[in-house]
Amino acid sequence: MDFAFDARTEELRAKLLAFMDEYVYPAEAVAEEQRERLASPWDTPAVVGELKAEARRQGLWNLFLPDSEHGAGLTNLQYAPLAEITGRSPHLAPTALNCAAPDTGNMEVLAQFGDDRQKKQWLEPLLAGEIRSAFAMTEPEVASSDATNITTLIERAPDGTDEYVITGRKWYISGAMNPDCRIFIVMGKTDPDGSDIRRQQSMVLVPRDTPGVEVKRAMRVYGYEDHSHGGHAEVVFHGARVPVSNLVGEEGGGFAIAQARLGPGRIHHCMRLIGMAERAIELMCRRAVARTAFGKPLAQQGVVHNWIADARVAVEQLRLLVLKTAWMMDTVGNKGAHAEIQAIKIATPRTVVDIIDKAVQLHGAGGVSQDFPLAELWASARTLKLADGPDEVHQRSLARRELKKYV
Ligand SMILES: Cc1cc2nc3c(=O)[nH]c(=O)nc-3n(C[C@H](O)[C@H](O)[C@H](O)COP(=O)(O)OP(=O)(O)OC[C@H]3O[C@@H](n4cnc5c(N)ncnc54)[C@H](O)[C@@H]3O)c2cc1C
């Protein structure tokens, strides 16, 4: 077993680490400051465009896409340590490299299931970082962790035109508040009464400017509006019409596409979470050596040693599991790595939430303030116990797989 990264990964890691130091970390404060002067907080600060141009110039672009026709052609194992590095600045670096969710999953869907026209119209500008996109599945009225519950209707137009009519309400649609988000991949039901509950759903492309699409409000995350992610919108479809040719894949194929989309998305989140944990450990250590209470630096308190040591052990464990999962996705496919993907999706957010929480504690009031990134990091990590499938859903499926061996 070889634990070393290959030459291409090492080269890209060195480049990316330098890019983070030179451009990304200094841009964090600049982006915040620029956002305060924007006409709308949902617009993109100019510094983000500058970061994107520089990343592209350096070849640090579309690294997430294993398909070498459209992306960098990296394996999951090669991409994992790079995504981890971007997780250290999760509100800027993934966007700078055109590797941010939900665009990544949407580009994968278009690359894998889109036809030539859809690729030209939507995939190409997404790959070029000219527009953003959103994925609209979750609905406020139904338990959406079970995607068969989705109620949004995608119906053939009754007037005989070659169009679908879309009616429904979605929420927590990431990225949708950003005006650069021009296209929604919408999951709904084309055959709500079909006998196979996993063939009732389809996906259609709905341009943002379609009449009948209402981006209603920004949902908050523990009070944060998540401007840098383009927010998480409630979106209502009031009989919005799109051509039938906007169907992605085939009618009834929506559920399967959603499953295919989530595998890579989950591991990308876990990779970035490890980077978030590393940032929290770094902040924790820096604060511990710099701050004195009751006559000695916090770094000399035994309890702080425990927090730091436990965090280091946990991160090393998680990284190994995530890298093993990446390797399995590369060697036996996403389906073959299903159990491992579930394992990392259960283990990573909760462990990282705990690590960030310790870093918050060590920072005292500063930890929950806006002057350190920890409070926002905590809120982001916490949402990943829900998004892309709540922990309990993965636990249920993993336990069933384990039990099957004994039945
Ligand atoms: C910040 C954020 C961003 C998001 N971005 C998007 C997006 O871009 N697009 C999109 O479509 N959705 C998005 N979501 C929605 C997310 O995917 C859903 O919240 C998630 O799938 C859970 O669905 P739900 O909220 O309807 O919870 P429900 O399905 O109502 O589940 C509630 C709880 O019930 C429990 N539960 C459910 N099933 C089981 C089970 N089998 N066993 C035991 N317990 C169970 C779990 O504890 C679960 O948390 C986002 C959510 C957040 C918080």
Side-chain angles (χ1 to χ4, degrees), residues 14-28:
K15 225 181 198 184
L16 181 54
L17 286 167
F19 179 76
M20 296 289 290
D21 286 339
E22 196 172 342
Y23 297 99
V24 177
Y25 299 128
E28 287 179 347

Side-chain angles (χ1 to χ4, degrees), residues 110-144:
L110 286 166
Q112 221 180 320
F113 302 99
D115 62 26
D116 288 346
R117 186 191 61 84
Q118 293 168 349
K119 285 183 186 165
K120 176 124 200 69
Q121 192 173 1
W122 302 114
L123 179 59
E124 285 184 13
L126 279 168
L127 286 168
E130 292 161 2
I131 63 168
R132 305 292 303 268
S133 59
F135 183 72
M137 184 168 82
T138 303
E139 300 178 0
E141 306 302 339
V142 294
S144 304

Side-chain angles (χ1 to χ4, degrees), residues 117-382:
R117 186 191 61 84
Q118 293 168 349
K119 285 183 186 165
K120 176 124 200 69
Q121 192 173 1
W122 302 114
L123 179 59
E124 285 184 13
L126 279 168
L127 286 168
E130 292 161 2
I131 63 168
R132 305 292 303 268
S133 59
F135 183 72
M137 184 168 82
T138 303
E139 300 178 0
E141 306 302 339
V142 294
S144 304
S145 52
D146 176 356
T148 63
N149 284 337
I150 297 304
T151 61
T152 291
L153 288 178
I154 304 175
E155 299 169 294
R156 290 272 179 165
D159 51 16
T161 50
D162 230 6
E163 289 178 320
Y164 285 121
V165 181
I166 302 150
T167 311
R169 180 184 297 269
K170 305 283 186 183
W171 74 346
Y172 279 92
I173 306 312
S174 299
M177 296 302 296
N178 183 336
D180 294 337
C181 172
R182 302 280 164 74
I183 186 74
F184 301 146
I185 300 182
V186 179
M187 175 130 145
K189 287 194 174 169
T190 38
D191 184 15
D193 301 317
S195 56
D196 182 347
I197 56 167
R198 291 192 167 81
R199 297 281 307 167
Q200 295 174 345
Q201 305 79 7
S202 300
M203 283 193 196
V204 283
L205 296 170
V206 182
R208 180 198 196 86
D209 57 8
T210 307
V213 173
E214 182 193 3
V215 178
K216 196 169 176 192
R217 60 173 176 155
M219 305 307 302
R220 296 196 181 139
V221 172
Y222 289 106
Y224 289 106
E225 287 201 309
D226 256 356
H227 295 119
S228 56
H229 284 140
H232 309 282
E234 178 175 346
V235 184
V236 187
F237 299 91
H238 304 276
R241 284 173 173 245
V242 296
V244 167
S245 58
N246 278 22
L247 180 73
V248 182
E250 54 169 14
E251 268 194 20
F255 191 90
I257 297 175
Q259 293 302 307
R261 184 185 181 280
L262 287 175
R266 285 173 180 147
I267 191 166
H268 295 169
H269 276 314
C270 291
M271 296 163 180
R272 286 188 292 263
L273 276 165
I274 293 174
M276 287 160 68
E278 286 287 6
R279 182 97 186 252
I281 295 173
E282 181 187 330
L283 288 167
M284 183 153 58
C285 293
R286 288 191 189 284
R287 184 77 163 185
V289 294
R291 195 110 163 153
T292 296
F294 300 100
K296 57 181 178 181
L298 292 174
Q300 286 179 23
Q301 300 291 351
V303 69
V304 175
H305 292 169
N306 294 349
W307 291 345
I308 292 170
D310 288 349
R312 172 54 55 214
V313 171
V315 161
E316 297 300 323
Q317 289 172 328
L318 286 178
R319 186 182 288 113
L320 285 176
L321 190 53
V322 169
L323 290 175
K324 181 198 167 195
T325 305
W327 172 78
M328 287 198 61
M329 289 169 77
D330 294 335
T331 50
V332 295
N334 298 354
K335 250 197 179 142
H338 197 65
E340 282 73 16
I341 293 172
Q342 287 178 324
I344 57 169
K345 183 63 180 57
I346 297 163
T348 314
R350 69 179 174 201
T351 311
V352 173
V353 165
D354 189 50
I355 291 171
I356 299 171
D357 193 59
K358 295 295 190 299
V360 167
Q361 190 70 12
L362 189 112
H363 279 70
V368 297
S369 77
Q370 70 275 41
D371 287 357
F372 293 89
L374 289 165
E376 205 167 354
L377 284 179
W378 184 92
S380 290
R382 177 62 183 82

Side-chain angles (χ1 to χ4, degrees), residues 33-80:
E33 196 241 324
Q34 287 181 349
R35 193 175 295 287
E36 278 167 25
R37 288 185 278 114
L38 290 172
S40 154
W42 304 110
D43 291 341
T44 307
V47 72
V48 175
E50 291 159 22
L51 288 175
K52 284 167 86 167
E54 183 59 27
R56 197 165 187 185
R57 196 187 65 73
Q58 293 197 21
L60 295 169
W61 192 251
N62 290 337
L63 301 173
F64 71 98
L65 205 54
D67 159 7
S68 52
E69 187 194 338
H70 300 107
L74 299 179
T75 63
N76 286 295
L77 192 56
Q78 288 173 317
Y79 178 55

